[in-house]
């Protein structure tokens, strides 16, 4: 994952269970930050890099300037991460929750019940969207009122989610398709 404008790249696959810091201009490994048992999803926000560990149920906050790692207990299985609104949003697949972590204090602020098996998450200006793999739905957390709307049926296995071009995009892995949703209505267009 390239961090825009920094000339530095952070990878989750260098040494086992670590994040590598690579100088992309010189194409050389600068440092490695050891993490937990199974680092996975990665996000960037503020001066921090955030890495989920599904096996340990934690999110690691790495200070990019100091290299200091702080682990935050989130739940049983952290699969997805996104940064938005000065928060990190993590999915806890086993608990069926979206977990909000304050980016500055590194403390869990709130937990929201979403669908079954939330795996992917993306944060926008007005909402946080979660793909729920087990029940084939998409959940929308309205950031204005902290309300999770009724889940939207997507198909058999939503696996990834993104925002762009005025739409919410979600992959249905088992059906082999990409769906476009209107972010206001939640309808497939």
């Amino acid at each position: 994952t390239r961090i825009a404008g920094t000339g530095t790249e952070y990878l989750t696959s260098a040494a086992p269970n670590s994040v590598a810091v690579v100088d992309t201009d010189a194409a050389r490994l600068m440092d490695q930050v050891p993490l937990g048992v199974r680092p996975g999803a990665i996000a960037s926000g503020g001066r921090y890099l955030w890495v989920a560990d599904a096996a340990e149920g934690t999110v690691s906050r790495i200070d990019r300037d100091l290299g200091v790692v702080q682990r935050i207990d989130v739940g049983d299985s952290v699969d997805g991460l996104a940064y938005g609104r000065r928060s990190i949003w993590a999915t806890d697949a086993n608990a069926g929750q979206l977990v909000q972590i304050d980016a500055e204090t590194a403390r869990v602020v709130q937990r929201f019940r979403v669908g079954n098996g939330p795996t992917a998450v993306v944060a926008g200006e007005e909402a946080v969207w979660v793909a729920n793999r087990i029940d084939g739905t998409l959940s929308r957390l309205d950031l204005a009122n902290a309300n999770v709307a009724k889940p939207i049926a997507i198909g058999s296995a939503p696996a990834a989610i993104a925002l762009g071009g005025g739409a919410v995009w979600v992959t249905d892995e088992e059906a082999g398709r990409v769906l476009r949703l209107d972010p206001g209505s939640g309808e497939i267009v």
Side-chain angles (χ1 to χ4, degrees):
T1 302
R2 182 165 181 99
I3 309 302
T6 64
T8 305
E9 193 165 313
Y10 295 83
L11 308 171
T12 58
S13 62
N17 305 325
S18 68
V19 170
V21 182
V22 178
D23 180 332
T24 56
D25 295 330
R28 70 178 179 86
L29 181 66
M30 294 170 42
D31 195 8
Q32 294 188 53
V33 180
L35 295 173
V37 176
R38 198 176 93 204
I42 190 167
S44 176
R47 72 175 204 250
Y48 303 107
L49 184 70
W50 305 83
V51 182
D53 188 316
E56 292 187 346
T58 61
V59 172
S60 293
R61 181 177 81 166
I62 304 168
D63 186 311
R64 292 195 306 235
D65 297 331
L66 304 174
V68 175
V69 178
Q70 179 177 2
R71 285 190 178 77
I72 305 149
D73 289 322
V74 174
D76 292 333
S77 178
V78 182
D79 290 321
L81 286 181
Y83 177 82
R85 290 270 188 108
R86 295 184 298 266
S87 292
I88 280 292
W89 301 91
T91 60
D92 182 346
N94 291 345
Q97 294 180 337
L98 173 65
V99 181
Q100 179 185 10
I101 302 168
D102 182 284
E104 285 306 311
T105 66
R107 295 186 189 270
V108 172
V109 177
Q110 280 184 285
R111 295 176 183 274
F112 300 91
R113 177 77 179 120
V114 290
N116 293 320
T119 55
V121 59
V122 65
E125 290 297 317
E126 298 177 10
V128 176
W129 296 84
V130 180
N132 305 301
R133 187 173 180 84
I134 293 173
D135 61 12
T137 64
L138 191 65
S139 294
R140 180 185 189 275
L141 169 66
D142 186 328
L143 293 173
N145 61 19
N147 182 46
V148 177
K150 180 181 175 186
I152 302 163
I154 294 298
S156 51
I161 187 167
L163 296 173
V168 178
W169 302 88
V170 62
T171 61
D172 183 344
E173 196 170 66
E174 288 183 16
R177 62 185 179 160
V178 177
L179 302 170
R180 178 181 184 203
L181 285 83
D182 178 282
S185 68
E187 292 182 16
I188 297 171
V189 292

